[in-house]
């Protein structure tokens, strides 16, 4: 697995959560985070691509969701997953979040 310092993206989580509705899913959060932090997002994808990872989007998105879960001052993870379109427009299950 690639080693990437997600601190540049992690530092933007509070700003992105503030833009989200009271309940949102991981796909919505990832899209907003990527739109507002394109350079950092592309750097993360590139780090995973360069490591030979065949699914850099899935790896980066999984890492970001795990880091979001650590921000209990911002959000809480809801117990049921939600189905929504992923970055490719495919309907996929993902975590749902509630603002704190």
């Amino acid at each position: 697995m690639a080693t990437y310092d997600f601190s540049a993206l992690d530092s933007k989580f509070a700003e992105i959560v503030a833009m989200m509705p009271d309940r949102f899913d991981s796909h919505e959060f990832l899209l907003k985070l990527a739109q507002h932090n394109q350079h950092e997002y592309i750097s993360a994808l590139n780090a995973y691509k360069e490591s030979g990872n065949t699914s850099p989007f899935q790896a980066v998105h999984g890492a970001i969701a795990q880091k979001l879960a650590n921000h209990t001052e911002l959000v809480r993870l809801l117990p049921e997953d939600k189905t929504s379109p992923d970055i490719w427009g495919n309907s996929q299950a993902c975590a749902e979040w509630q603002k704190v």
Side-chain angles (χ1 to χ4, degrees):
M1 180 173 278
T3 300
Y4 180 76
D5 179 3
F6 282 89
S7 61
L9 285 169
D10 190 89
S11 70
K12 304 296 185 179
F13 283 13
E15 176 185 333
I16 300 302
V17 168
M19 296 178 196
M20 304 304 295
D22 286 338
R23 288 175 76 140
F24 58 93
D25 65 44
S26 291
H27 294 148
E28 294 166 324
F29 179 80
L30 289 162
L31 184 58
K32 186 76 69 181
L33 182 69
Q35 287 172 334
H36 289 269
N37 301 278
Q38 293 181 30
H39 291 244
E40 295 87 350
Y41 178 74
I42 290 168
S43 293
L45 289 172
N46 191 52
Y48 279 79
K49 177 192 150 287
E50 293 299 320
S51 73
N53 190 304
T54 59
S55 302
F57 281 94
Q58 186 175 19
V60 168
H61 292 176
I64 289 171
Q66 287 178 340
K67 295 199 175 298
L68 181 59
N70 293 331
H71 283 279
T72 56
E73 78 284 4
L74 299 173
V75 296
R76 73 178 179 89
L77 179 62
L78 297 176
E80 299 292 325
D81 282 351
K82 179 180 176 185
T83 301
S84 72
D86 64 13
I87 196 165
W88 309 111
N90 299 317
S91 187
Q92 300 286 336
C94 67
E96 188 171 22
W97 308 90
Q98 173 76 47
K99 284 185 182 181
V100 174

